[in-house]
Amino acid sequence: MPSTENQQQLDIATERAKCTFNPASFTPLFYGGEDRMRRLRKIEAMIDNDPVFDRSDRYFLGRTERFKRALAMVKRYVELRNEYGFTPDESAYFKVYVDDYIPVHLHESMFLPVLRAQASEEQAKKWIPLAENYHYIGCYAQTELGHGSALSRLETIATLDIERDEWVINSPTQSSAKYWIGTLGKMANHAVVQAKLIINGKDYGAHPFLVPIRSLKDHTLLPGVFIKDMGPKQGAISMDNGYARFDHVRIPRENMLMRFSQVSRDGVYSKPIHPKLAYGGMTAVRTTLINHSALSMARGATIAIRYCAVRRQGNVNVATNLESQVLDYPGVQYRVLPLLSHAFATIFSGYWMNEMYAQYNADITKGDTSLLKDVHVYSSGLKSYCTKLGADGIEEARRCLGGHGFSLFSGMIDFHRQFLATVTYEGENALLTQQVSRYLLKLYKDVIRNPNVKLSPPSKYIFSLVDRNAFVSERCQARSLQDFYKIEVILAALHHRAARLIYELAQAEKSGTDWPQLNLECMRLSKAHVQYILVENFYNGIRKRYNSSPSASPEERNLFLAVESVYNLHVFYTIEVELSEFLEDGYFSPEQASWIHEGVKRCLQAVRPNAVGFSDCFGFTDSFLNSALGSYDGRAYERLAELAEGEPLNSKEMMENGVIWGYEQYLKPLIYGEAGPYKGGNGTSKL
C-alpha cells in the first residue's frame, strides 16, 4: 500500500492525466498574450534566483523585519529596472510577483500615474524624469481621517497667497490629517496632496498639488510637515502607510497640477472641461484592481483545488481502502469551483475595461470626454463587485482546506489579508454602488424623455422600459434546462432583472424617498448590472479567442469545451445565488428555478474532471504561491513538515538539548510545585 505522501503525488498525477485539454494553452490568457508571457516569465526567474527576494521565511517575520527586508528589495528592484529597462507594465508585474507591498509600491502605482495624467506638459517635463529616476519618491495623499473617496468633503485646504504667488497647504482639523497613505510613513519625499483650492475665500473644490515633504539632502521632514507611520494593520505588512498634517506649508503656485485646471499669476481660476477629470487617479487604479481580482481569485482557487484533490477524508472505498478525495464531495465543489469560474469571468471583463480605459485616454488627449462617465461608472461597478467576489471567495476556499487552512503555510492567509483592503480603497465598495445606480437612473430618465437617445452597449437594455406594459408581461422563454445554456435566454433574464431594479429605484425616488434611504436598492441594482457585464464579456471573450466551429481541430475543440464548461458554471451559479430576484416578479417560474438548481449540479460535474488542469493553466509558480498545500507536486503533508523546520521556536537559539528557552525560569517552578497549590477546587473564590 502506498504511503500517504506517495498517494498524494499519485492523486495529483491522476488528476492531470484525465484532463481533457492542455492547460498551457490557457496560460497566455492570464498573462495578456504570448509575448507578454515570455517577458514576464523572465521577470519571474529573475526574482526567484535573487536572494534579496527570498520568501522562504516570510511567514516567520514580524512587521519591522518585513519592512527592513523590503528596503533592500526596493533598492534591488530599481537596480534591475534600470539595468533591463523595464516598461511600466513590466515594473508593475515585478512588484506583483514579489508578492509584497514593498514601500515604494504606491510611488509607481499611484504617484507616477497621477503625475502623468494630471500634470501639464511643462510640469511633466520637469517632474516625471525626477520621479522615474527615484530622485523624487512620491505618494498620493487623498484619504483623510474623516473622509476618503468623497473629494468634495476633504478638509485639507490649499489657499492661494496671490502676493507671494504661493499656495499655503494646511490641515485645519484633526480629521483633515491625511491617513492610510502608502509610502508616506517613512519613504516618500514628495506627495500629491488632494486639497480644497481656495482663492479669495472662494472654494473651487479638491485639486491635486505636488508638495515636498522631506529634504532631498538628508530625508528629514520639512518645516510645517508632521508625519508618522500609522502602525500595524491587517495586511500590507511591509508598506509604510502613514498619516500627515500640514501647518501652513508653502509651495509655489506652479505646484498645482495644471493639466485640466489652471490658476494664473493674478489668481484667475480656469475650470476643467469636465469636473470628473479629478477622479482620474482613482479610475486608473480601479481598472487595475479588476485584473488584480482575477489574479487573486485564480490564486485562491489553485491552492484550494490542488489540496482538495490530494486530501482524502470521509467515505472509504472498500476496494482500495482509501478515503474519498475531498474535491469529490459536491459541497466542496460548490464552494471552490465557482471561484475558478469567477476568475475567468473577471479576466475577460478586465480586458474589456482595459480597452475602454485605453480608448478614453486616447480621446482625452483630444479634448473628447464622451467616454469619461462610462469609464468611471463601469470601473467603479466592476471594482466594487469583483473585489468583494474575490475577498469572499478566497476566504470560502480557505475554509475548504480544513484545519490546515488556518496555517500561514497554506499560502492563503498572507495574500488574502492584503487583498482584503481592495474592498475599501479607491472607493468603498458599497459606496461605489450608489455611483453606478445614479448613472443608470439618469440613463433611464433620458430614455423616457427621448426614446431615440443614444446609449452605450452595456446600457441598451434600458430601452425595454419604454413600453412598460410589454415589459411587465415578459417571461423567461426557457422551456427546458437545456435552454438555459443559450446566451439569448441568459442575457434576456439578466437584462430584465437589471431593468426592473432600475424602474423600482426610479419609482422609489419619485415617491419622495430620500436618496440615503435607497442604499440597498443601489447595491442590488449595481450588482445586477455588473453581473450582466461579466456574463456577456465572458461569453464574447471565449468566442473571440477559442474555436468552436465544426472545422476546429480536436485540440481546439477540447479547449473550447473546457472553457465553456467554466463559463456555464459561472452563469448558473450567479443566477442561483440571485434566484429570488428572478422569481419575485414572476419572470422565472418555480419549475425554471428548479432547472437552475439542477444546472449548477451538472456544471460542477462537468468542471470537476478538469479542475486540477484549470489550476495549472494560470501558470503560477510554487515560489509565487508560497503554499505547502497548493504546490504543483501535491506533496502537501511533506511540505508542511518541512516548513515547520524553519520556525524560530524550533531553532537552536531557542532550544538547549531540545528544551525550550525559559524552562528553568518559568516552567520548572510550575512543574515542581513552586507556584503553590490550587485552592479553588471546592468551587469557592477569595476574590
Side-chain angles (χ1 to χ4, degrees), residues 140-151:
Y140 179 68
Q142 175 173 306
T143 301
E144 298 177 352
L145 269 171
H147 294 92
S149 55
L151 288 178

Side-chain angles (χ1 to χ4, degrees), residues 117 259 280 283-288 290-291 349-372 374-376 378-379:
R259 181 180 181 186
T283 301
V285 177
R286 287 170 188 163
T287 301
T288 63
I290 300 165
N291 299 296
S349 281
Y351 289 147
W352 173 78
M353 194 69 240
N354 290 345
E355 291 173 3
M356 185 187 298
Y357 187 72
Q359 184 61 55
Y360 157 73
N361 276 333
D363 291 348
I364 205 70
T365 60
K366 307 169 188 174
D368 180 359
T369 63
S370 58
L371 274 178
L372 192 150
D374 278 356
V375 167
H376 173 67
Y378 296 140
S379 65

Side-chain angles (χ1 to χ4, degrees), residues 328-469:
D328 282 337
Y329 291 105
V332 173
Q333 294 171 13
Y334 187 77
R335 297 161 69 191
V336 171
L337 297 185
L339 187 63
L340 172 74
S341 73
H342 300 335
F344 269 89
T346 304
I347 197 67
F348 283 116
S349 281
Y351 289 147
W352 173 78
M353 194 69 240
N354 290 345
E355 291 173 3
M356 185 187 298
Y357 187 72
Q359 184 61 55
Y360 157 73
N361 276 333
D363 291 348
I364 205 70
T365 60
K366 307 169 188 174
D368 180 359
T369 63
S370 58
L371 274 178
L372 192 150
K373 287 185 179 179
D374 278 356
V375 167
H376 173 67
V377 167
Y378 296 140
S379 65
S380 296
L382 282 164
K383 181 271 178 186
S384 172
Y385 180 78
C386 294
T387 54
K388 184 179 187 303
L389 195 66
D392 294 345
I394 296 165
E395 170 59 14
E396 188 64 31
R398 186 199 64 78
R399 294 178 184 179
C400 288
L401 303 178
H404 293 321
F406 195 62
S407 168
L408 286 182
F409 298 157
S410 69
M412 291 283 249
I413 296 173
D414 197 56
F415 99 86
H416 183 223
R417 64 188 180 189
Q418 291 192 169
F419 180 79
L420 284 174
T422 65
V423 306
T424 303
Y425 66 71
E426 305 315 312
E428 195 279 327
N429 278 359
L431 180 64
L432 288 178
T433 64
Q434 295 184 48
Q435 298 184 28
V436 177
S437 297
R438 277 188 185 277
Y439 182 59
L440 295 174
L441 185 60
K442 176 186 178 301
L443 295 182
Y444 164 72
K445 293 175 181 177
D446 291 344
V447 165
I448 296 303
R449 284 193 296 266
N450 178 16
N452 296 316
V453 70
K454 290 185 178 180
L455 297 182
S456 61
S459 308
K460 286 188 175 180
Y461 66 84
I462 297 175
F463 284 120
S464 64
L465 292 169
V466 173
D467 187 340
R468 176 67 185 157
N469 292 330

Side-chain angles (χ1 to χ4, degrees), residues 160-179:
L160 183 63
D161 183 335
I162 298 178
E163 183 177 338
R164 295 178 57 174
D165 198 28
E166 292 176 333
W167 296 104
V168 181
I169 311 296
N170 194 44
S171 307
T173 63
Q174 182 65 56
S175 60
S176 68
K178 296 298 182 181
Y179 206 80

Side-chain angles (χ1 to χ4, degrees), residues 641-662:
E642 290 166 0
L643 285 170
E645 294 296 323
E647 167 56 52
L649 286 177
N650 299 325
S651 67
K652 291 181 180 179
E653 288 76 12
M654 294 296 294
M655 309 272 286
E656 184 177 349
N657 298 322
V659 178
I660 186 66
W661 170 90

